[in-house]
Amino acid sequence: MRLVIARCSVDYTGRLNAHLPLATRLLVHKGDGSLLVHSDGGSYKPLNWMSPPCSLTVQPPDDSDAEDGVVELWNVTHAKTGDALLVRIYEVLHDTSHELGVDPGLVKDGVEADLQRLLAEQVDVIGDGLTLVRREFPTAIGPVDLLLRNAAGGTIAVEIKRRGDIDGVEQLTRYLELLGRDPHLAPVTGVFAAQEIKPQARVLAADRGIRCLTLDYDGMKGIDSGAPRLF
């Protein structure tokens, strides 16, 4: 993994166009080829990024960019979509590379792991006519908890949390964006499932077209929670 702190501007072109003006940022170039552009705020979410499969080429600036103070151009191109991320480097403040080795992956707490297992065994809780494709379906930015198919052949990605907040909705949004680029999976819809979902997360999920599902952990385990039920 290469970590570069630089004064830079960033332009993204493709399905959408976006521009980040000149500022000091952290550039993370991972071993899988992805590039993430971070600021010193906004929690973990990058300002912009390019997911694999993609390639990065470094080029000298043309005369116009050189006159503006650009010392290096990073061109990152997605292999399937043709989307491009152009980073203009004005000054490099820090540049290091590290070999991280093989990561063992995220180990979830007992309740969350049990929820995933139980929901995989009881996909009818999510909807009728669904079948499980795989638990922990891999993507370039981490595994999706459950990937399902409906009777019409559509794909459903399910993110499972014990307590559902805005960060979980953002996480599922990124998974949906990546999965939707695969023609074998698209179109992909999302379900955000948790024992408790915060109101702000519900509002954001609705805005993103993601369905929220409140899970009854005890009920799924076959234990009467004591809460009154209609059925």
Side-chain angles (χ1 to χ4, degrees):
M1 179 183 291
R2 184 182 178 190
L3 305 175
V4 176
I5 298 176
R7 294 180 61 249
C8 63
S9 65
V10 183
D11 289 280
Y12 193 106
T13 56
R15 293 169 304 145
L16 55 84
N17 295 331
H19 174 69
L20 293 172
L22 178 61
T24 301
R25 300 185 177 93
L26 169 65
L27 307 174
V28 180
H29 186 218
K30 294 186 176 182
D32 61 8
S34 60
L35 180 72
L36 297 89
V37 182
H38 284 275
S39 65
D40 196 19
S43 186
Y44 61 86
K45 186 177 180 181
L47 298 171
N48 215 325
W49 68 92
M50 182 67 76
S51 303
C54 59
S55 59
L56 184 151
T57 59
V58 179
Q59 301 172 345
D62 59 23
D63 292 341
S64 177
D65 280 332
E67 289 178 1
D68 291 335
V70 178
V71 297
E72 199 169 73
L73 295 176
W74 289 14
N75 282 290
V76 188
T77 306
H78 196 274
K80 293 183 178 179
T81 66
D83 288 11
L85 193 69
L86 176 62
V87 182
R88 290 180 170 88
I89 306 290
Y90 290 79
E91 181 184 6
V92 175
L93 306 175
H94 178 82
D95 189 346
T96 58
S97 296
H98 306 272
E99 181 59 50
L100 302 186
V102 178
D103 191 278
L106 178 67
V107 179
K108 300 187 176 183
D109 66 62
V111 172
E112 196 166 305
D114 285 344
L115 280 171
Q116 184 192 105
R117 176 182 57 80
L118 289 168
L119 199 54
E121 295 170 353
Q122 305 173 42
V123 294
D124 57 304
V125 171
I126 302 173
D128 296 330
L130 300 179
T131 56
L132 176 68
V133 175
R134 178 172 170 175
R135 290 175 59 185
E136 300 286 339
F137 187 87
T139 77
I141 58 174
V144 178
D145 286 327
L146 300 180
L147 196 73
L148 311 176
R149 291 278 192 186
N150 59 28
T155 308
I156 301 98
V158 184
E159 183 62 25
I160 303 168
K161 300 292 184 186
R162 185 170 58 178
R163 294 184 179 88
D165 55 20
I166 286 177
D167 286 348
V169 177
E170 293 282 11
Q171 181 181 0
L172 179 54
T173 300
R174 292 194 296 276
Y175 288 149
L176 292 173
E177 181 181 0
L178 282 176
L179 294 170
R181 297 178 183 177
D182 188 336
H184 298 291
L185 299 177
V188 185
T189 57
V191 173
F192 188 54
Q195 286 181 277
E196 175 189 350
I197 302 177
K198 294 183 178 180
Q200 299 93 330
R202 289 185 179 275
V203 171
L204 181 60
D207 183 68
R208 303 280 173 85
I210 295 171
R211 181 163 68 92
C212 288
L213 175 66
T214 303
L215 300 175
D216 179 358
Y217 181 47
D218 289 339
M220 292 170 66
K221 290 201 306 181
I223 301 173
D224 188 353
S225 65
R229 301 179 185 177
L230 293 177
F231 303 99

